[in-house]
Amino acid sequence: QVQLVQSGAEVKKPGSSVKVSCKASGGTFNTYAISWVRQAPGQGLEWMGGIIPIFGTENYAQKLQGRVTITADESTDTAYMELSSLRSDDTAVYYCTRGFVVIPACYYMDVWGQGTTVTVSS
Amino acid sequence: EIVLTQSPGTLSLSPGERATLSCRASQSVTRNYLAWYQQKPGQAPRLLVYGASSRATGIPGRFSGSGSGTDFTLTISRLEPEDFAVYYCQQYGNSPNTFGQGTKLEIK
């Protein structure tokens, strides 16, 4: 049973960048998507974007386009999410997920990482 | 993008009762590609249902999903104490993937 293990909590200054990692253990990315979902304190879930490593295709939420980059290293089964130009409203828990692809760029998320808290504060 | 509206915002019920949660889409969801997730405090969400009505691996039979087009329902037949949580729907039939705002199921 695959598990997704994320890197630890981060505290960042406004305007800086953060890079969160997500390693698959007990399995590989294979033909799945790896996507990122964030949750601000007390709020709902927001899909940020995803990558399908076997195809090398990425897609992002329009709201975050230009600030978020998702990459994957198939040799180590590790995915990364980098968010730049951080603002206070980027403070959230960031989850990586394994996505079961049904049509390009669309998937449901059957495995979730434990979450990484990113705090943006001056 | 497709907007998902969940109702009610909060549902107060007692263990043993039946829960009915609604998710309405702003336009028809392609091939009924709709999923439901459960999230408990301090935990990551867990997939319950995909394809509107297929239970995910290991999900108890008291959880069932139904619906098509723009109207979908998650039903919990007899509530157990561990079922009190927040539930989200998500559509994945049209890009971008989108989530509803959630329904909080609380103990009455």
Side-chain angles (χ1 to χ4, degrees):
Chain A
Q1 175 73 7
V2 68
Q3 287 186 305
L4 300 177
V5 181
Q6 300 181 222
S7 50
E10 303 264 11
V11 179
K12 293 292 183 179
K13 300 284 189 191
S16 67
S17 298
V18 67
K19 191 169 186 177
V20 182
S21 68
C22 169
K23 181 171 176 59
S25 66
T28 66
F29 293 154
N30 204 1
T31 56
Y32 294 93
I34 294 293
S35 76
W36 292 83
V37 174
R38 70 179 181 177
Q39 186 170 39
Q43 302 301 308
L45 304 173
E46 179 185 18
W47 178 78
M48 300 177 66
I51 186 169
I52 305 175
I54 196 169
F55 299 130
T57 54
E58 307 152 41
N59 64 310
Y60 301 109
Q62 189 169 16
K63 171 184 175 183
L64 296 171
Q65 198 93 28
R67 287 209 299 138
V68 64
T69 304
I70 296 171
T71 56
D73 182 344
E74 287 183 86
S75 67
T76 60
D77 289 314
T78 302
Y80 302 88
M81 184 282 299
E82 184 168 21
L83 187 63
S84 62
S85 303
L86 288 169
R87 310 187 292 245
S88 59
D89 62 358
D90 291 319
T91 294
V93 176
Y94 288 76
Y95 295 101
C96 71
T97 79
R98 187 180 79 168
F100 190 97
V101 182
V102 295
I103 53 179
C106 292
Y107 31 81
Y108 64 86
M109 299 155 206
D110 64 345
V111 180
W112 293 65
Q114 84 276 18
T116 296
T117 299
V118 175
T119 303
V120 182
S121 174
S122 55
Chain B
E1 71 177 43
I2 292 182
V3 175
L4 299 178
T5 302
Q6 293 187 239
S7 61
T10 302
L11 184 58
S12 300
L13 294 170
S14 300
E17 291 192 292
R18 180 186 187 89
T20 303
L21 287 67
S22 174
C23 176
R24 177 163 290 177
S26 59
Q27 61 191 80
S28 185
V29 176
T30 299
R31 297 187 185 178
N32 299 324
Y33 283 153
L34 188 110
W36 289 93
Y37 302 85
Q38 176 194 67
Q39 187 179 32
K40 297 179 182 180
Q43 296 184 18
R46 176 175 71 146
L47 176 69
L48 299 175
V49 169
Y50 61 94
S53 60
S54 297
R55 268 190 305 275
T57 303
I59 301 304
R62 63 181 180 275
F63 290 90
S64 63
S66 62
S68 64
T70 60
D71 289 298
F72 299 88
T73 300
L74 176 71
T75 301
I76 311 171
S77 58
R78 280 182 60 87
L79 286 166
E80 298 287 342
E82 62 267 27
D83 298 337
F84 292 92
V86 180
Y87 293 82
Y88 294 94
C89 58
Q90 177 229 342
Q91 70 80 25
Y92 53 99
N94 302 73
S95 182
N97 304 281
T98 51
F99 288 95
Q101 84 281 12
T103 289
K104 181 179 181 180
L105 179 54
E106 65 176 24
I107 298 177
K108 188 173 183 180

